[in-house]
Amino acid sequence: MFDLILVADWSAAGSPTGQAPRKDAIWVCADLGGDQTVAYFPTRMAALDWINGWLARGYRTLLGVDIAFGYPQGFAQALTGQTDGLAVWEWLARHITDGPDNANNRFDVAQVINRMFPGIGPFWGRPAQLDLPDLPPTARVRRDHGLSDHRTVEQAVPGAKSPWQLAYAGAVGSQSLVGLAALAGMRRRFGAEMQVWPQQTGWREPTARITLAEIYPSMWPLSSEGDAIKDRAQVIATAKALRKVTPDWFTAPREQPDAARIAAEEGWILGVRPAGDCYALPRGVSWTPVDAALATLRRVSGPRVGASTVPVGEAAGRILCGPLSAIRANPPTANSAVDGWGFAHATIPHGCVPVVAERAAAGTHAAAPVPPGHAIRILTGAALPSGVDTVALQEDATRTQQGVTLRAVPNAGANTRPAGEDVRAGDVILPAGRRLRPSDLALAIAAGHGTVRVHDRLRVGVLSTGDEIVAPGAVGPGIYDVNRPMLLSMLAAWGMSPVDLGHVPDDEDLLRDALSNAPVDAILTSGGASAGDEDHLSRLLSREGQVHHWRIAIKPGRPLALGDWHGRALFGLPGNPVAAFTCGALFARPALLQMAGADWSDPEPRMVPAAFAKRKKAGRTEVLRARLRGGQAEVFASEGSGRVSGLSWAEGFVMLAPEAMDIAPGDPVPYIAFADLGLA
């Protein structure tokens, strides 16, 4: 179809990447009739000049660029007032500055865009030294910005990254900001000779001399496995793949729902077919990204429990039904912050001050009014009697039979605490959905509460499946049932009401009965969620229940089935203990807590230096058992999901994004402590 194939692997580097070829920089491959020329560029301006030179030669050309050509639905309208993705390109071209030395303002522009949306976000990720308060450094703090994390096409591509991420491993958002601004200039330069697919062409074969399309090089197997620089190998492999392009590559996505809007607003990756198509990816089946699976769980996991009023002392671990307001102020009256002598500052005489016979102490009846010019012995926490507005420290006074002499008169109001200094009556002290901690109970009691209204505990059953499973400690052959006791204890740690549903062998009828008769609100199973002859759970769920997601792009974690069985949420966890623990913590926990009445809970990873090296392939989110030592993340020696010892060794997870990456010691990686997952 094309005489010339150009493939560009882009970069958003803020300075030249050096004269020596290196990874994570700009690489471009020109394939003219099968003859390839590959070039490295330390700056974007140099790369654009080279590409424009090839485009000016007059060949019928396909130019593929490795950046997102659009954003999720709603972004273009909010930014430009149009549902046209190319209007976003022009907006960026007017606001992005990108110099010949790669210096650019992409993070500042991202902050400007974030201010145009409600809540926090959508863009996130920035160097720590940048003072940009409206550009959050991590994804987890974002909220209420109203946009999806992924475009439609990214649901069909395992490993495709969100365009909102601007920094850290696997980020692609920065490349898009600077890249789209550059491509807008290229469009103006070539005018009618260039068409952007599918934003300008729709789902039709392009007719202009130059076709500009979005690509995703990780889709294509590398033809240069021995190449020391992966970026170079990828542009070579992608150019060879695009040399085989046929018209249906451009037209196939038109069969999906909402196809016209997607083409104009979000764009598409050349070579990807719609999710659900058996050819969703040229290399095989499609897998659901972790973010998409969690978004589904958040949508379907509404509260499923009643409510009770319980004594506040018995409410630890329970979830508040509604916001809790203070019944009375804390402190309820103005009081003394120290042991000392109280008086009215404006009336205190010089020299010896007469002392009233009574004293004021915490917990006693209110002392009688103190006459002007007199002092009263007062203890910490005692209510200030009428006629007292200041307290002198006892060590700053001398007591005699005639009265008390102050070494120095303190400032008016010194050493006193006003009523309501901590909490005022009517203040909301705890939000609805809060899982109550001992410290929360202290606040509730101080604010006047003897009882609280909480959600009933969610009943969650745990069922083991498989002929090979035997009870812990059993004598003879078989696989010990590690998962059921482990999962039951995890549920207890999360404040659920765990229900042991026992074990069923590989028998479809027995499994159906166990699921249907379980007196619970949700069920965790382990094993049987794959597609083998004895994997009855997946078939039962497909025929008689509801499957939300089955193939989820996570390691460890396959197979993992998320669905619903006759009104009960069902989590079909893998049989391997490490995978069951991981999926229970990352998928079941936030969904179960929301069903129990709490807010959706995504723990916030913190970026820490890696104490390991790893080369990761694209396609799945990878979860490594890890722990912190000396402020660095160590990972367990084996990634095998049957190595139970790694769970005991670990104290948290390192979460690696779906993109391919090379991690060297010292590189920042996201770490989630087990304590943040309620599992310390």
Side-chain angles (χ1 to χ4, degrees):
M1 290 183 64
F2 298 94
D3 302 315
L4 173 65
I5 306 291
L6 288 171
V7 172
D9 189 358
W10 210 241
S11 167
S15 59
T17 52
Q19 293 306 311
R22 49 158 284 185
K23 67 174 186 175
D24 298 328
I26 298 177
W27 287 88
V28 185
C29 179
D31 183 309
L32 183 60
D35 294 330
Q36 292 187 333
T37 302
V38 183
Y40 158 83
F41 300 94
T43 68
R44 284 178 290 279
M45 293 298 183
L48 286 169
D49 287 343
W50 196 79
I51 293 170
N52 286 334
W54 276 99
L55 294 177
R57 296 186 186 189
Y59 297 113
R60 179 160 168 73
T61 302
L62 171 61
L63 169 57
V65 184
D66 181 23
I67 61 174
F69 274 22
Y71 292 90
Q73 181 178 1
F75 179 75
Q77 176 70 48
L79 186 70
T80 70
Q82 305 176 56
T83 56
D84 177 8
L86 294 181
V88 174
W89 294 29
E90 295 300 326
W91 190 96
L92 291 173
R94 293 192 300 272
H95 292 81
I96 292 284
T97 58
D98 195 4
D101 61 348
N102 273 359
N104 63 78
N105 64 339
R106 66 187 188 275
F107 294 109
D108 299 276
V109 171
Q111 174 168 258
V112 169
I113 295 174
N114 277 359
R115 288 171 175 168
M116 301 172 70
F117 289 82
I120 300 174
F123 285 105
W124 68 276
R126 57 174 168 81
Q129 69 270 19
L130 292 184
D131 183 18
L132 299 173
D134 293 315
L135 180 60
T138 60
R140 306 282 176 155
V141 300
R142 297 178 306 154
R143 64 175 186 272
D144 304 325
H145 54 75
L147 297 173
S148 170
D149 264 0
H150 292 89
R151 297 176 295 158
T152 306
V153 67
E154 288 150 0
Q155 307 300 318
V157 183
K161 197 74 171 178
S162 168
W164 307 128
Q165 182 180 346
L166 303 181
Y168 317 127
V172 298
S174 284
Q175 287 93 313
S176 292
L177 288 178
V178 297
L180 293 179
L183 293 182
M186 186 182 290
R187 286 186 62 228
R188 289 192 296 272
R189 175 171 182 159
F190 289 97
E193 286 188 282
M194 175 178 283
Q195 286 181 316
V196 181
W197 179 86
Q199 280 91 338
Q200 285 182 288
T201 65
W203 306 113
R204 296 183 299 276
E205 181 182 350
T207 57
R209 181 177 69 83
I210 303 169
T211 297
L212 180 56
E214 178 182 345
I215 58 169
Y216 186 55
S218 295
M219 288 168 50
W220 312 107
L222 298 183
S223 56
S224 305
E225 290 288 351
D227 198 323
I229 301 178
K230 184 177 180 181
D231 308 62
R232 176 167 53 202
Q234 283 188 322
V235 295
I236 293 171
T238 304
K240 288 182 177 179
L242 297 183
R243 174 58 62 192
K244 301 174 183 178
V245 67
T246 55
D248 66 301
W249 286 38
F250 300 102
T251 60
R254 67 186 174 194
E255 302 301 328
Q256 65 184 308
D258 207 16
R261 182 199 60 77
I262 292 169
E265 182 178 2
E266 294 187 353
W268 200 260
I269 297 170
L270 187 62
V272 175
R273 295 176 183 258
D277 189 320
C278 61
Y279 298 102
L281 283 176
R283 289 201 292 168
V285 298
S286 86
W287 295 81
T288 302
V290 168
D291 287 351
L294 289 172
T296 297
L297 288 176
R298 187 170 188 173
R299 187 180 69 251
V300 303
S301 301
R304 304 191 181 196
V305 291
S308 303
T309 299
V310 301
V312 67
E314 300 174 9
R318 304 294 290 272
I319 297 169
L320 273 179
C321 286
L324 195 68
S325 298
I327 296 174
R328 74 172 194 180
N330 182 47
T333 61
N335 65 92
S336 177
V338 298
D339 292 344
W341 303 92
F343 50 85
H345 189 273
T347 69
I348 193 73
H350 294 291
C352 185
V353 181
V355 176
V356 299
E358 193 175 6
R359 74 169 190 167
T364 63
H365 67 279
V370 176
H374 287 66
I376 186 172
R377 174 64 171 158
I378 191 167
L379 303 181
T380 302
L384 298 183
S386 174
V388 171
D389 60 17
T390 304
V391 176
L393 293 167
Q394 65 180 18
E395 53 265 36
D396 289 340
T398 302
R399 179 73 162 95
T400 65
Q401 288 186 343
Q402 290 73 33
V404 63
T405 301
L406 304 179
R407 294 187 181 90
V409 178
N411 294 330
N415 303 312
T416 64
R417 295 181 292 217
E421 178 187 48
D422 180 25
V423 172
R424 296 171 300 177
D427 284 352
V428 174
I429 56 172
L430 294 169
R434 174 81 160 225
R435 188 173 176 217
L436 295 170
R437 305 168 299 173
S439 53
D440 297 325
L441 304 187
L443 176 58
I445 294 169
H449 290 276
T451 62
V452 288
R453 186 77 171 165
V454 294
H455 288 286
D456 296 332
R457 294 189 188 274
L458 189 75
R459 298 166 302 164
V460 186
V462 180
L463 177 69
S464 295
T465 69
D467 290 338
E468 73 281 10
I469 300 298
V470 297
V475 178
I479 297 175
Y480 288 133
D481 191 351
V482 172
N483 288 344
R484 185 154 44 101
M486 176 184 71
L487 294 169
L488 288 166
S489 65
M490 291 168 71
L491 292 171
W494 297 332
M496 308 296 151
S497 177
V499 179
D500 189 344
L501 300 179
H503 162 250
V504 295
D506 289 319
D507 183 291
E508 185 173 299
D509 292 333
L510 292 176
L511 177 59
R512 180 190 293 107
D513 290 344
L515 296 176
S516 299
N517 297 326
V520 295
D521 306 298
I523 302 173
L524 306 184
T525 68
S526 63
S530 189
D533 291 344
E534 300 300 336
D535 292 319
H536 301 297
L537 176 66
S538 55
R539 287 192 294 275
L540 269 178
L541 198 59
S542 297
R543 288 200 312 262
E544 303 178 29
Q546 181 181 4
V547 178
H548 302 313
H549 295 291
W550 179 36
R551 294 187 175 99
I552 298 172
I554 187 169
K555 175 187 177 183
R558 296 190 297 182
L560 169 64
L562 305 176
D564 191 275
W565 180 263
H566 302 176
R568 301 175 181 89
L570 191 143
F571 302 82
L573 304 179
N576 281 325
V578 173
F581 179 91
T582 302
C583 293
L586 299 180
F587 292 94
R589 174 184 170 273
L592 293 173
L593 284 171
Q594 187 167 274
M595 284 185 253
D599 293 333
W600 182 265
S601 175
D602 268 341
E604 176 69 31
R606 57 180 171 132
M607 303 302 293
V608 300
F612 62 93
K614 177 179 173 61
R615 171 166 286 187
K616 178 189 174 297
K617 296 180 180 179
R620 290 186 286 176
T621 296
E622 292 193 15
V623 185
L624 309 180
R625 284 153 284 171
R627 64 187 185 185
L628 295 185
R629 292 294 183 270
Q632 295 185 316
E634 302 176 347
V635 296
F636 190 57
S638 170
E639 296 181 17
S641 59
R643 296 283 296 272
V644 185
S645 60
L647 289 177
S648 178
W649 175 93
E651 297 167 359
F653 291 136
V654 163
M655 305 283 295
L656 300 182
E659 290 70 34
M661 63 184 73
D662 290 331
I663 298 171
D667 288 348
V669 292
Y671 176 80
I672 299 177
F674 286 163
D676 295 331
L677 295 167
L679 297 173

